[in-house]
Amino acid sequence: MQAILAEITFYEAFFKVHYTKGFRLTYPMPLPTSVAGIFGAMLGIERKEIKDEFKEMLFGSGILRYEGFTIENETFLQYKTARVQKGVVRTQIVNHPTYLIAMAGQSERITKYFNSLKDNNFVYLPYGGQNDFFIEDLTINGVANVIQNEVVSNYAPQDMVIGLESSETTLNILPVMHTYSPNPNFYFVLKGLLKLKERVNVIENSNIAVYPLEMFKIVYG
């Protein structure tokens, strides 16, 4: 199995945390479903076709650098019968993040997609979680091997985690709609490594874990 790696930088990004309503939290990095949406945009695949097009593919992301989190007030208009309701919601934003994103699968399919994307030939430019967060830079890094490892550098379900691989590890714990276990919490690594109970698919030399889409709530963005 192989994977396409891309490095993507946003001026700001927002990947909405599942289960939150009044105060909008962001994941520090895009979940596999959001990564699939990013690759889908670059390849020109319609949102409604992503689930079938990327069946049996694996996706993941890791954060390379960022300039912290900020809180912004977003104004919204809600159209109801005979009236318009205006409001403000507080939203957490990742400030100037750069991610390494990965799409993994059988070598033949990866070669096909890579040939479409090499030389930065993108059909559409993706957004940073929603269409008011634009990219600053996007580069296809190349193709890497996928291996099995129990150490990961990005995220994993809490119930799969044994502990921290390094005392300097920094992480967030946030709820994710997934089917790995009844426990919704995921560990998101901002710095360092996690040790898991079992080996999972990771990108060689980066330890970014990649996961199948069917294990997550399908939200491509």
Side-chain angles (χ1 to χ4, degrees):
M1 184 180 289
Q2 292 185 304
I4 299 173
L5 297 181
E7 191 168 315
I8 186 168
T9 300
F10 297 100
Y11 295 102
E12 295 176 320
F14 171 75
F15 303 101
K16 184 178 181 296
V17 172
H18 301 161
Y19 303 104
T20 60
K21 294 182 179 179
F23 180 80
R24 305 206 316 158
L25 291 172
T26 181
Y27 294 116
M29 61 203 76
L31 289 174
T33 47
S34 295
V35 176
I38 291 173
F39 277 103
M42 291 190 289
L43 290 163
I45 300 168
E46 296 289 338
R47 289 172 64 94
K48 62 184 179 182
E49 298 173 354
I50 286 179
K51 184 177 180 180
D52 291 333
E53 176 69 25
F54 288 156
K55 187 177 181 180
E56 299 179 357
M57 304 291 290
L58 308 177
F59 297 87
S61 69
I63 193 163
L64 298 178
R65 52 192 174 273
Y66 69 110
E67 296 177 6
F69 297 90
T70 59
I71 304 297
E72 295 184 359
N73 291 327
E74 292 188 323
T75 301
F76 67 87
L77 297 177
Q78 188 173 33
Y79 292 88
K80 296 186 176 181
T81 304
R83 66 189 179 94
V84 178
Q85 181 178 346
K86 183 178 180 179
V88 176
V89 62
R90 288 170 62 80
T91 302
Q92 182 188 47
I93 304 296
V94 191
N95 190 25
H96 203 204
T98 298
Y99 302 109
L100 188 64
I101 59 173
M103 174 172 65
Q106 296 304 317
S107 298
E108 296 80 7
R109 294 185 68 183
I110 290 300
T111 298
K112 170 190 168 185
Y113 292 136
F114 178 73
N115 288 337
S116 296
L117 295 174
K118 68 181 181 180
D119 302 321
N120 295 345
N121 292 321
F122 310 132
V123 178
Y124 302 112
L125 293 179
Y127 298 115
Q130 59 187 46
N131 61 9
D132 46 350
F133 296 109
F134 304 106
I135 66 166
E136 178 181 336
D137 193 29
L138 173 58
T139 303
I140 302 299
N141 289 5
V143 174
N145 292 324
V146 177
I147 62 173
Q148 293 275 305
N149 202 340
E150 68 277 4
V151 175
V152 304
S153 64
N154 54 338
Y155 41 67
Q158 185 178 44
D159 287 353
M160 291 175 59
V161 177
I162 294 177
L164 310 182
E165 187 71 1
S166 166
S167 60
E168 298 182 354
T169 298
T170 304
L171 55 82
N172 286 348
I173 303 175
L174 295 165
V176 173
M177 291 183 180
H178 67 88
T179 59
Y180 281 100
S181 75
N183 180 358
N185 289 335
F186 254 58
Y187 281 15
F188 291 83
V189 179
L190 299 172
K191 176 185 176 183
L193 298 166
L194 295 176
K195 181 70 174 291
L196 306 185
K197 298 176 183 177
E198 59 189 71
R199 291 175 174 245
V200 296
N201 290 302
V202 304
I203 309 302
E204 189 174 30
N205 298 324
S206 72
N207 287 331
I208 289 177
V210 287
Y211 301 93
L213 296 180
E214 61 264 25
M215 303 302 291
F216 298 86
K217 177 185 176 183
I218 305 299
V219 179
Y220 302 113

